[in-house]
Amino acid sequence: MGLLLKGGLVVDPAQDLEAERDLLIENGRVARLAGTGTIPAAGHEVQDCRGLVVCPGFIDLHVHLREPGQEYKETIASGGQAAAAGGFTAVACMPNTQPVNDNAAVTRFILEKAASARQVRVYPVAAISQGSEGKILAEYGELKAAGAAALSDDGRPVSNAQLMRRALEYAHTFDLLVISHAEDLELTGHGVMHEGLVSVQLGLRGIPAAAETVAVFRDCELARLTGARLHIAHVSAAGTVEIIRQFKAQGAPISAETAPHYFTLTHEAVQGYDTNAKMNPPLRTEADVAAIKQGLADGTLDCIATDHAPHSVLEKDLEFDQAANGIIGLETAVGLSLQLVATGVLTLPQLVAKLSTNPARLLGVPGGILREGAPADITVLDLHRPWTVDVAAFKSKSRNCPFHGWQLPGRAVLTVVGGEVVWKL
Amino acid sequence: MHADDARGMVFRRKDLLGLADLSREEIQAILTTAASFKEISTRSIKKVPTLRGKTVITLFYEPSTRTRTSFEIAAKRLSADTINLTVAASSAVKGETLIDTARNLEAMAPDIIVIRHACSGAPHLLASRLKSSVVNAGDGLHEHPTQGLLDMLTVWEAKGRLDGLKIAIIGDIAHSRVARSNIHGFRTMGSQVVVAGPQTMLPPYLAELDVEVTFSLTEAVADADVIMMLRLQLERQGQMLFSTLREYSRFFGLNPGHLELAKPDVLVMHPGPLNRGVEISPEVADGPQSVILTQVTNGVAVRMAVLYLLSGGEASGTAT
């Protein structure tokens, strides 16, 4: 018996498809995709998708699942539930766990945990350098063989430009994407929020946008020099969008992501010393938000990723200077991203490309397309189902979310991974 | 400022966290009340029963002699019971969180907690969790509202007004909570504020706070009614904010020659403690224009007023 998704608007940019279709799932794969009413329902479980949008499953290529090491914040299982509830069928998890995912044993541990959790697909991102200490390259060949999908020293940017050059070359050797957390730590100094009027008012040390842009420029130059594939993580600054746009125009092998908070909030959210508005890179200005929206619209920014960063009250219920960076995002990302469609920043196919097609292509993983024979990783959206964000209802173990109480226009109502329903509203 | 303006006005806040969000009327009420309290400190028996039965805790996470003593004297002159807690920042990091400390103190039912903390916003965190009143005695780089108020009281007493005066603030504005409180306070009261220092010490976006910014000390002090020198924090020498003390003193230290550029009746102020010979020459610090010790005297009066008003006292309408 298969699962028949009947009458939904199928939006699949990989096939340039935006039309009402019936979609039959059998044996974990897309068995048939055909005009509405053309697939007989007999013998299948039928899901009425009229009025809903059927998309290739969303892939979040930037999350922190905290396992191994900080299971009180999140586990691979709880993070997987949060992802499924948020409409994601796959996540790529960053290596800043304890121990760091800089070796095949940790990569295999993550994959085993993910397999037994039976939620979403989990793609481990391994460390660029051993211990993410920025000194010695990790074993990229072994890591890839063990299942690592990409490389990053996220959270601990590579300061040494020579190491970054060698990392790009060595990663290129094994055809692994390098995801750069681009930040000049000296310019960041002791900064805890964007350097601007609000930081001056609040007396908080500022992080200038230049702390991001100078590092982005360095890494883009190194990508051009080496020919290796570089992905810029969590773009927050207008200057970064412009640098990436120029390098892409010159054909450099660069891609980039931003996160929903960077196109939704500004540094004003820090007023009142709200530690749920503390993240790195920091929330910036209206002009930065506008530039990021523009970058999404014109294709400079390829992906929307959450940078889901769970923290407990132990790390957040503190003085602002001492609170940890980061917010969770898996369960709000789709709702916040749909605001971009509602306000005309992106078309629906553009949004699906940034949440599914492009991340699948960049990671080189299955999914991102709904053609017959492809894995049945599917996200079904209801664009017109307003809901109120309630952190108490989150599947994530953590509650560090600045959007509590927000009204969002729509959400994922069905998440299917390999033909299995992992979330249904 | 006339007595009539303040009559009947009440300062109705639970906390005093900064001057940025105070109205002109509220600042006026505090200054007027403070002026009326000054007389108490000149009596042979320097004590009134106004806050008898009230408990004031000073909770200091940073070393301080002047401010803590000033708050304690202010509370005692109003007959409040005072408890002083000094917490070494290092042990706080390792041990109890600020919120837990606050909850424990709250369980002992204090009326007012006076906090100094190295983290900007720490008093706001306390205030949001506690029923007690919270007074910010200096938070990180953010504000030091009672310092701003005592500075304004000092200027107001000497000049009879704040409106239209030119206030020059010189030094490390970026790392000064005193500067921020004074900028907000004097701007709200209608003064013109100009700040000067090397660009390393001037935060960007200051102009958006309606402040004039210059790199030139002589430009800043020209025709000034008040020159406020900030303490150069010598421990910042390693932070690339300036080259040598010698050069800093030469270009940003106040000496008698500068006073000739200012108004004849210019006031020279400094929040203390002084680095004599660095940001201010001894002749100026001890000269006839200096009101540095008056600032200290007024600190007690302003803190008495703040404790009194936060305890529900009526603003004075009879001062001056």
Side-chain angles (χ1 to χ4, degrees):
Chain A
M1 189 176 90
L3 173 61
L4 180 62
L5 305 184
K6 206 167 164 44
L9 176 70
V10 174
V11 176
D12 183 359
Q15 305 179 72
D16 200 17
L17 177 65
E18 186 178 4
E20 282 180 13
R21 289 283 188 275
D22 287 353
L23 190 153
L24 178 65
I25 300 163
E26 279 182 319
N27 302 317
R29 299 198 167 262
V30 178
R32 282 197 67 192
L33 182 65
T36 43
T38 57
I39 302 176
H44 301 306
E45 184 187 340
V46 175
Q47 177 74 40
D48 183 1
C49 289
R50 282 175 300 173
L52 304 179
V53 179
V54 178
C55 313
F58 293 166
I59 300 168
D60 184 349
L61 48 62
H62 196 138
V63 305
H64 298 269
L65 295 181
R66 304 300 187 207
E67 188 177 4
Q70 294 186 310
E71 291 83 355
Y72 68 99
K73 295 181 180 183
E74 196 79 287
T75 61
I76 290 165
S78 68
Q81 285 178 1
F88 290 96
T89 57
V91 296
C93 58
M94 289 296 160
N96 61 337
T97 46
Q98 294 170 1
V100 171
N101 180 17
D102 63 356
N103 63 76
V106 177
T107 296
R108 280 193 290 266
F109 169 85
I110 292 167
L111 288 170
E112 281 164 20
K113 282 280 181 180
S116 63
R118 297 176 57 83
Q119 291 286 335
V120 300
R121 297 182 201 271
V122 175
Y123 298 113
V125 178
I128 289 173
S129 61
Q130 293 182 23
S132 285
E133 287 173 351
K135 290 178 183 150
I136 305 167
L137 297 177
E139 297 169 327
Y140 299 172
E142 280 207 9
L143 284 161
K144 183 171 186 183
L151 300 165
S152 182
D153 275 358
D154 185 58
R156 295 189 62 184
V158 177
S159 293
N160 183 326
Q162 175 71 336
L163 181 82
M164 192 64 178
R165 178 204 172 144
R166 296 305 184 207
L168 284 163
E169 290 172 334
Y170 197 49
H172 200 194
T173 309
F174 297 100
D175 193 25
L176 280 166
L177 181 71
V178 174
I179 301 174
S180 169
H181 169 135
E183 178 185 5
D184 184 314
L185 292 174
E186 304 288 347
L187 277 174
T188 295
H190 293 103
V192 293
M193 70 172 295
H194 175 66
E195 179 177 298
L197 181 58
V198 179
S199 71
V200 174
Q201 288 170 335
L202 293 179
L204 292 171
R205 286 183 171 80
I207 304 171
E212 177 172 306
T213 54
V214 299
V216 167
F217 192 89
R218 181 199 76 173
D219 287 352
C220 287
E221 275 289 61
L222 293 175
R224 182 154 64 183
L225 175 68
T226 60
R229 293 190 296 132
L230 172 73
H231 179 79
I232 304 294
H234 43 54
V235 171
S236 73
T240 302
V241 177
E242 187 50 36
I243 291 167
I244 294 168
R245 184 178 288 129
Q246 288 181 18
F247 273 90
K248 279 185 155 188
Q250 295 160 19
I254 291 163
S255 58
E257 78 196 25
T258 189
H261 38 280
Y262 298 122
F263 59 70
T264 307
L265 298 174
T266 69
H267 57 163
E268 289 289 343
V270 180
Q271 295 280 11
Y273 300 94
D274 183 357
T275 59
N276 281 334
K278 182 177 180 183
M279 64 263 312
N280 187 23
L283 299 171
R284 301 197 191 271
T285 66
E286 291 283 358
D288 293 293
V289 168
I292 283 166
K293 287 179 178 173
Q294 178 60 36
L296 284 166
D298 68 19
T300 303
L301 302 176
D302 307 86
C303 305
I304 294 170
T306 61
D307 199 0
H308 179 81
H311 290 294
S312 79
V313 292
L314 298 176
E315 292 84 26
K316 280 294 196 183
D317 210 4
L318 295 173
E319 297 88 323
F320 196 88
D321 282 340
Q322 293 172 5
N325 284 312
I327 61 167
I328 52 174
L330 281 167
E331 292 169 82
T332 49
V334 168
L336 292 166
S337 298
L338 286 174
Q339 290 187 327
L340 295 178
V341 176
T343 54
V345 174
L346 294 180
T347 65
L348 196 50
Q350 281 178 316
L351 179 65
V352 174
K354 290 177 199 303
L355 285 166
S356 179
T357 327
N358 296 345
R361 172 175 50 82
L362 291 169
L363 289 174
V365 297
I369 189 165
L370 291 178
R371 67 165 173 245
E372 290 173 7
D377 290 6
I378 298 168
T379 301
V380 179
L381 303 176
D382 189 338
L383 303 191
H384 306 291
R385 185 166 179 148
W387 62 290
T388 304
V389 178
D390 176 10
V391 295
F394 280 170
K395 304 291 181 196
S396 170
K397 277 192 171 186
S398 289
R399 300 284 176 264
N400 50 316
C401 171
F403 302 111
H404 179 66
W406 279 44
Q407 181 93 4
L408 297 177
R411 64 192 305 180
V413 293
L414 181 69
T415 309
V416 179
V417 178
E420 301 289 327
V421 173
V422 293
W423 166 253
K424 189 174 176 181
L425 192 65
Chain B
M1 194 179 299
H2 301 289
D4 284 352
D5 298 338
R7 184 164 294 138
M9 284 189 303
V10 180
F11 180 87
R12 293 198 189 280
R13 283 176 184 262
K14 174 177 153 297
D15 313 295
L16 177 65
L17 302 178
L19 299 188
D21 51 349
L22 292 196
S23 68
R24 189 175 182 132
E25 291 70 27
E26 286 175 308
I27 291 175
Q28 180 89 68
I30 297 170
L31 298 184
T32 309
T33 305
S36 75
F37 276 146
K38 275 193 83 171
E39 179 267 333
I40 295 168
S41 295
T42 65
R43 297 178 192 174
S44 60
I45 298 174
K46 303 179 187 60
K47 208 175 186 73
V48 294
T50 314
L51 295 187
R52 196 166 54 198
K54 301 282 186 184
T55 305
V56 176
I57 295 179
T58 64
L59 178 60
F60 274 55
Y61 286 82
E62 279 188 334
S64 159
T65 308
R66 183 181 321 242
T67 304
R68 198 191 54 70
T69 307
S70 182
F71 268 108
E72 186 177 358
I73 289 176
K76 289 196 156 132
R77 288 196 177 150
L78 294 172
S79 300
D81 297 310
T82 60
I83 294 93
N84 301 313
L85 299 173
T86 303
V87 189
S90 57
S91 68
V93 168
K94 288 173 197 158
E96 196 171 50
T97 65
L98 178 60
I99 288 171
D100 278 334
T101 303
R103 284 184 183 137
N104 277 277
L105 294 177
E106 177 103 313
M108 295 181 257
D111 298 284
I112 298 178
I113 295 177
V114 178
I115 179 175
R116 166 167 291 191
H117 200 288
C119 295
S120 301
H124 305 67
L125 183 60
L126 269 196
S128 69
R129 305 301 173 94
L130 299 185
K131 290 195 270 306
S132 318
S133 290
V134 173
V135 179
N136 180 0
D139 64 324
L141 314 179
H142 178 229
E143 282 223 41
H144 190 355
T146 55
Q147 178 74 43
L149 289 164
L150 74 87
D151 289 340
M152 284 189 279
L153 177 62
T154 305
V155 175
W156 178 41
E157 281 183 336
K159 304 286 184 192
R161 66 190 174 107
L162 296 174
D163 200 59
L165 298 180
K166 178 179 175 181
I167 316 290
I169 308 177
I170 317 294
D172 187 356
I173 310 295
H175 298 93
S176 174
R177 53 197 177 206
V178 174
R180 277 179 180 72
S181 285
N182 273 309
I183 287 169
H184 293 308
F186 278 104
R187 286 297 303 129
T188 300
M189 300 311 285
S191 311
Q192 175 200 355
V193 177
V194 52
V195 301
Q199 190 175 354
T200 48
M201 295 182 173
L202 300 174
Y205 311 99
L206 259 186
E208 292 182 50
L209 297 176
D210 209 7
V211 171
E212 220 176 291
V213 182
T214 170
F215 304 145
S216 159
L217 171 59
T218 52
E219 206 174 288
V221 301
D223 291 320
D225 295 285
V226 174
I227 302 171
M228 190 179 295
M229 302 306 296
L230 298 176
R231 173 181 167 75
L232 182 73
Q233 288 168 288
L234 300 180
E235 64 273 19
R236 297 205 184 281
Q237 241 180 321
Q239 295 178 15
M240 300 177 264
L241 297 177
F242 61 98
S243 174
T244 58
L245 283 181
R246 193 183 70 86
E247 179 167 276
Y248 185 85
S249 162
R250 177 169 166 196
F251 286 93
F252 300 102
L254 191 69
N255 60 52
H258 293 123
L259 300 191
E260 290 169 20
L261 304 171
K263 295 255 176 69
D265 61 345
V266 66
L267 300 180
V268 173
M269 305 177 73
H270 192 296
L274 300 172
N275 294 308
R276 285 174 180 269
V278 180
E279 71 267 5
I280 190 164
S281 74
E283 303 93 293
V284 175
D286 301 330
Q289 315 284 25
S290 168
V291 289
I292 293 172
L293 293 176
T294 310
Q295 291 174 267
V296 179
T297 304
N298 283 343
V300 174
V302 153
R303 288 168 182 128
M304 288 169 76
V306 167
L307 296 175
Y308 168 74
L309 291 172
L310 288 177
S311 303
E314 293 284 319
S316 167
T318 56
T320 69

